[in-house]
Amino acid sequence: VPMGRDHGSNVFGWDQDYSNAGYSIDVPSFKASKYLVSNRHFYEFVKDGGYTNRQWWDEEGWNWVTWKKPTHPWFWVPDGEGGFRLRVQVEEIALPWDWPCETNNLEAKAYANWLSAKEGKKFRLPTEAEWERAALGDGRNEYPWGASCSEEWSNFNNPDGGTTPVEQFVRGVSPVGVWDMCGNVSEWVNDW
């Protein structure tokens, strides 16, 4: 998998994207979830006491939990009736169960640990190189969507400015069958 961006590239990237341009990493085969984790799936973690059970969190995560005392993702707002609403750009809306759950990296890792115990198999966040391989597919050096995502590939032109259901963008499926590789939300990886 080619890593990093060429400093002469006109494609958007964060500063760290350019720091390692010009090298490749061999990425062994791995399995990945087809869809992003939805609010519906993350809610199971919340209902199961995920924020109060130390065993799901690494040291940094548990330090964050004991400091911030969260009971749910930041953008979820209790509705006063035992449920949640979602804080979006300029309003609160009914929590869309089929939208991807927006969490921080610590919450994402805790969820993967909880899901591992629940399902009896190991789940974790992908490494950046694994994410790139899933987006590129085997043997490719450029994304199937080219230099930029468009309306047909992602929600970048969503008039509401928010996320969209995890199964909405059929064209945004990577060559290996992973959805939403070209937009919807930023995704966490397991390394720097």
Side-chain angles (χ1 to χ4, degrees), residues 17 23 29 42 64 66 86 107 118 157 162 176 188-190:
D17 294 335
Y23 79 99
S29 294
F42 198 87
W64 175 77
T66 57
L86 182 68
E107 292 166 302
K118 181 179 175 187
N157 294 319
V176 295
W188 293 112
V189 294
N190 207 27

Side-chain angles (χ1 to χ4, degrees), residues 37-44 47 76 83-84 94-101 165-166:
V37 175
S38 68
N39 287 320
R40 174 176 284 109
H41 289 108
F42 198 87
Y43 181 63
E44 296 302 315
K47 280 192 333 187
W76 291 14
F84 294 95
L95 183 63
W97 293 111
D98 59 350
W99 284 15
C101 187
V166 299

Side-chain angles (χ1 to χ4, degrees), residues 94-187:
L95 183 63
W97 293 111
D98 59 350
W99 284 15
C101 187
E102 297 183 62
T103 66
N104 65 38
N105 185 272
L106 304 170
E107 292 166 302
K109 288 179 178 178
Y111 174 82
N113 292 335
W114 169 83
L115 187 61
S116 294
K118 181 179 175 187
E119 298 288 326
K121 56 185 173 180
K122 180 66 178 160
F123 290 91
R124 63 171 173 79
L125 302 180
T127 65
E128 182 177 357
E130 288 170 336
W131 188 96
E132 292 289 341
R133 181 168 180 200
L136 292 167
D138 292 329
R140 296 181 63 129
N141 285 325
E142 81 177 46
Y143 299 120
W145 49 84
S148 65
C149 295
S150 64
E151 290 178 19
E152 62 197 274
W153 286 94
S154 72
N155 69 337
F156 282 146
N157 294 319
N158 182 351
D160 299 325
T163 56
T164 53
V166 299
E167 296 180 42
Q168 181 168 335
F169 288 96
V170 176
R171 291 268 337 250
V173 177
S174 80
V176 295
V178 179
W179 289 55
D180 279 328
M181 300 293 292
C182 181
N184 211 352
V185 294
S186 295
E187 299 173 39

